[in-house]
Amino acid sequence: MKVRVDWRASLALVGTVVKWLSVPLVAPLVVALYYGDGGIAAFGATIVVAFTAGVALESLGDPEEMRAREGFLMVAVTWLAVSIVGAVPYLLAAHGVPGVLPATAPGSTLANPVNAVFESMSGFTTTGATVLGSISFETHSHSVLLWRQLTQWLGGMGIVVLAVAILPELSVGGAQLMDAEAPGPGIQKLTPHIAETARVLWLAYAGITALEIVLLYGLHVGGFAPNMGVYNAIAHGLTTMATGGFSPEARSIEAFSAAVQWLIVPFMVAAGTNFALFWHVIQGDTQELFEDAEFRFYVGVVGTLTALLAAILFTGPALGLGDAVAPVAGNAEDALRHAAFQAASIVTTTGYASMDFNQWSQPGKMVLFVALFLGGSAGSTGGAVKMVRWLVILKSLKRELFVTVHPDAVQPLRLAGQALDERGVRGIYAFTAVYFSLFVFGTVFVAIDAGRIQETVTGFEAMSAVAATLGNVGPGFGIVGPMNSYLPFPNSSKLLMVGLMWVGRLEILPVLVLFTGSYWQS
Amino acid sequence: MRILIVGAGEVGSSIANSLADGHEVVVVDVDPERVEAMTYSHDVLAVTGDGTDLEVLLEAEVERADIVIASTDDDETNLATCGTVNTVSDAFTIARVKNTTYLDTWRNHRGAFGVDFMVCTDLLAAEAIVRIVGLPTARDVDPFAGGHVEMAEFEVPLDSPLAGQTIAEADEFDELTFVAVIPESANAAVIPRGDTVIDGDARVVVIGRPEAVREFSGAINPVEAADDIKDVVIVGGSTTGELTAELLVERGIKPRIIEVDQDRARELAERIPAATILSHDGTDPEFLTREHVQNADVVVATLGSDERSLLAALIAKRVGATRAIAVVEQARYVDLFETVGVDVAVNPRQVTAEEITRFTRERRAENVAIIEPGGAEVLEIQVDEQSVLADRAIRDVAADLPDGVVIGAITRGDDYVTPRGDTVVHVGDHVVAFVRADAIEEVTAKL
């Protein structure tokens, strides 16, 4: 069999990205120096590892040979490689290297390499599913917990998009690479140069992140958020706009005041919005935002779910829909806040929790379970199926009904008046079918795998765990609830979930294509 | 007048025939046989040659012509002819085109391509069809002030809700001015007052924003007639069919279009979202029955070929459609179509020839529209320091102007200003005014 893909070129470019990963690794190193917390050795060593591995990969081939096919391979492998390198500081901090590096987090669950890779993949893919046994500064240093937050921020707008923005060698094939990585069907070029587009997206992303950090810290200074210090403000700013969901607090956002919870809601909604729309708003064209079909649908969905959840939380016990959840039932502000927070968090696939929604009654949990599949907008940092696909599917179902009555009718699907290409519609159907096939397959695998080690995992828990990792959401229900972790699963299940997070982030098809014979041959 | 017609096809010879009586007509055509036929059958001078060739035009004494009509079947030839004529002559140029994009450009930038007046064959045919369907269309629409203002002349049908109303009752539109009423029997336009009654079959002339003019067009629409006609089926997605559908959509009707070619059907579906597009053979009776074409109020056959249009119209009638209109390219088949059962046959070339003839008779200059009968004019003036209007309120100017003038609209830059008594006109504003024939001289001098 003759391989027709110049995999050396792809790996060389992966090397470039890995090499540059040593730059953001400096941030946790600085934090380690500041707190004197012993992460110094772990991060120092990882910078060396990333740089050497990167340079070694770069020497494999010539990135000039990049074509469309090499692009798919490059993007898929980049995310794998970055996650593996990102796991190195976790391992080093938990284990140390006997005789060379001292372990800085004795008894950490990250000593298991599978756990370390899981945590790293969960970070970069902005999933937010965790396998840390206990989240506290006693078991994990400030620097390690900050690295967790930072991986999400880097993965949020996309590592490859960032690479296209700053590396001149990616300027030509960049559109192809961004297309394989960007959430949603197809990318929008905002400017003639793709690198310029990538820079615009990252600037908007970084700008809104900075705004949130300032506002969060402002609440602290204003006396509305006693525990939102500089460290926490930065840590949560990094994972809100990335729709990540990691928090250095064990109780997630429940640990903060109502003011903080209210402030985070609009930022989560913004994170699930197509960033290209922010560019138009910055250009002074706010109409573009409010006339965007997907944005209107997205806001409508979040609003409807909020209303539904608020009603369930507020009146739940009175209607006999399960137990009263103190202090929410009967308290309008509490009910509305927790409903809005959880709806925004799960729809945008952020995965924060303002309370343990595991305690909710069954109807409320069912609503959130459905929300696991919705996802943010195309071109946002959110995961799952995405609003635009649901919108197109709804419209095409309506068309199917019409065509059943009028078999000869020709009716293009329209988004905001613009007719859609039928091939694009077919792609959306294919994506959704594959997405749900993976969900079913994953659920069965996880259920059987848990039974194998006599771990009790209910069907609902298994489904929520698979949906939450495939959709890059993070928390599910029961044992994988927002205040729990993915630790109880066997290594085999965790590795499957690492795979689900990986293909989920890259929207499945660009990764699946690598497993077909026709990709590798002529 | 001396009129030069380039292209002696059906349109050209029809125009020549209509105008030969009162005018000196010269016809130019590339085909010697046609030229010879013209010489003997019509009272005109015929010249053989290419209308885009300056030598040929000079031989036809273009410099003496008052009007040049380019009416060949080829758009580009017609545009090039007008451009060529402009190099040696000040004659008023009229071009016939099929492509509606040329028409759009010309409407927004008058004088584009060196054309003073442009007619679009397919659009005229579509307008004729829509009129026949039973919906009033303006007899005449002229854009002013770069398209920000429109002058439109409508016929008010007897059963229109407007018939019998006074101007004050009918005037529900802020950005529209009633400038003239032409009673059916009268021989000149009357400047209306609030209590002037609009009789059925009278014509009204309005000046206003294009959107308001379109709304007004809807208001004229007889209520019952509009209710009667809901279901229009267009068989054949030709350009005429597409334009007809667009005009119907503008009038609140959602037509169905049957087009056999998949790609063309998709194209139509993308361009006209309000219409339902069916991709099937429009001459298949089983399909027509399945889609309930028998319940259609009107079926319009625009298949692009006379035989197929005839067949489609007859089959539609056969399955039970109330009325069938067919487009027929060959003028000589019009009678035949109507004899065998098609209710109305529309010949685009004939419609075009009629329009050009009508226009030539009511000859008008740039930014001037002439209202017949009576010779009143709608004209556009840019206000300068010398104008009596400069920096004065309209109420104060009234005493200085004759009775026969109505200020219909004002534009300031890209903004539309509705003229009221207290509106102050600035230097640089464009004013569109209706002027009765007897006042033209005085008004032109003072404005």
Side-chain angles (χ1 to χ4, degrees), chain B residues 234-349:
Chain B
I234 298 169
V235 183
S238 59
T239 311
T240 309
E242 182 184 342
L243 292 168
T244 306
E246 277 174 0
L247 292 174
L248 288 173
V249 169
E250 275 176 22
R251 282 158 185 78
I253 291 177
K254 294 182 175 173
R256 289 185 279 166
I257 305 177
I258 299 168
E259 166 59 48
V260 68
D261 180 68
Q262 277 283 348
D263 293 336
R264 174 65 182 160
R266 169 90 193 174
E267 195 175 82
L268 288 168
E270 287 181 9
R271 287 196 201 157
I272 317 172
T276 302
I277 317 295
L278 302 167
S279 184
H280 201 280
D281 179 3
T283 52
D284 173 2
E286 193 264 332
F287 158 76
L288 294 176
T289 318
R290 169 152 49 91
E291 287 295 340
H292 296 275
V293 172
Q294 63 270 30
N295 300 338
D297 300 310
V298 183
V299 173
V300 182
T302 56
L303 282 154
S305 115
D306 288 352
E307 296 79 359
R308 296 186 58 78
S309 291
L310 176 64
L311 191 61
L314 292 180
I315 291 173
K317 286 286 278 189
R318 176 92 189 153
V319 299
T322 317
R323 252 191 336 152
I325 301 170
V327 169
V328 48
E329 301 289 338
Q330 304 278 336
R332 58 179 181 275
Y333 291 159
V334 171
D335 285 345
L336 173 73
F337 270 47
E338 291 178 355
T339 311
V340 296
V342 176
D343 293 292
V344 185
V346 175
N347 178 247
R349 290 191 178 80

Side-chain angles (χ1 to χ4, degrees), chain A residues 116-437:
Chain A
V117 169
F118 185 100
E119 196 74 10
S120 177
M121 183 61 93
S122 171
F124 279 108
T125 59
T126 73
T127 305
T130 186
V131 286
L132 291 189
S134 68
I135 303 175
S136 76
F137 295 125
E138 271 80 63
T139 43
H140 296 96
S141 60
H142 283 85
S143 50
V144 164
L145 287 180
L146 185 86
W147 174 238
R148 253 176 111 228
Q149 306 297 109
L150 192 59
T151 54
Q152 294 208 317
W153 193 72
L154 290 172
M157 193 34 80
I159 292 165
V160 174
V161 177
L162 182 58
V164 171
I166 56 177
L167 301 179
E169 54 261 52
L170 285 176
S171 54
V172 177
Q176 168 74 31
L177 298 178
M178 273 172 68
D179 197 24
E181 184 191 72
I187 52 161
Q188 266 174 297
K189 260 197 177 187
L190 301 172
T191 56
H193 290 294
I194 192 70
E196 185 71 32
T197 300
R199 271 194 289 272
V200 163
L201 293 174
W202 263 89
L203 274 179
Y205 179 55
I208 303 176
T209 305
L211 176 70
E212 190 193 354
I213 293 173
V214 168
L215 289 178
L216 283 174
Y217 189 64
L219 284 181
H220 174 70
V221 173
F224 296 103
N227 52 349
M228 187 52 84
V230 174
Y231 184 91
N232 265 337
I234 293 175
H236 291 93
L238 290 177
T239 55
T240 312
M241 285 316 290
T243 68
F246 274 160
S247 168
E249 294 289 341
R251 302 294 294 177
S252 190
I253 311 301
E254 193 188 41
F256 299 100
S257 62
V260 170
Q261 295 174 359
W262 273 124
L263 179 66
I264 287 177
V265 173
F267 281 99
M268 288 194 291
V269 173
T273 305
N274 188 342
F275 275 68
L277 293 175
F278 292 136
W279 186 75
H280 291 296
V281 171
I282 293 166
Q283 303 270 305
D285 187 3
T286 44
Q287 277 218 330
E288 192 88 21
L289 177 69
F290 295 113
E291 279 172 11
D292 185 72
E294 186 184 22
F295 182 72
R296 295 167 70 131
F297 182 66
Y298 162 63
V299 170
V301 166
V302 174
T304 309
L305 288 182
T306 300
L308 194 59
L309 285 174
I312 292 173
L313 290 178
F314 187 72
T315 62
L319 295 175
L321 294 171
D323 308 325
V325 185
V328 179
N331 182 327
E333 194 271 339
D334 266 337
L336 187 62
R337 173 159 44 85
H338 290 302
F341 194 98
Q342 259 63 232
S345 168
I346 300 300
V347 169
T348 63
T349 75
T350 307
Y352 280 154
S354 65
M355 68 180 293
D356 187 358
F357 52 75
N358 245 343
Q359 309 295 318
W360 288 7
S361 59
Q362 201 60 30
K365 282 201 270 194
M366 255 350 269
V367 172
L368 280 190
F369 177 72
V370 171
L372 284 176
F373 296 93
L374 299 180
S377 312
S380 72
T381 62
V385 176
K386 308 247 154 35
M387 289 299 163
V388 70
R389 292 203 178 91
W390 286 120
L391 192 56
V392 169
I393 287 170
L394 283 179
K395 287 189 177 218
S396 80
L397 288 180
K398 197 175 145 213
R399 175 172 70 173
E400 280 313 307
L401 296 179
F402 185 81
V403 172
T404 310
V405 187
H406 303 277
D408 302 294
V410 179
Q411 213 183 42
L413 290 180
R414 287 168 192 280
L415 276 185
Q418 205 72 35
L420 297 176
D421 183 37
E422 289 304 319
R423 274 180 55 187
V425 177
R426 212 173 59 207
I428 285 172
Y429 267 124
F431 171 85
T432 314
V434 173
Y435 192 91
F436 280 94
S437 309

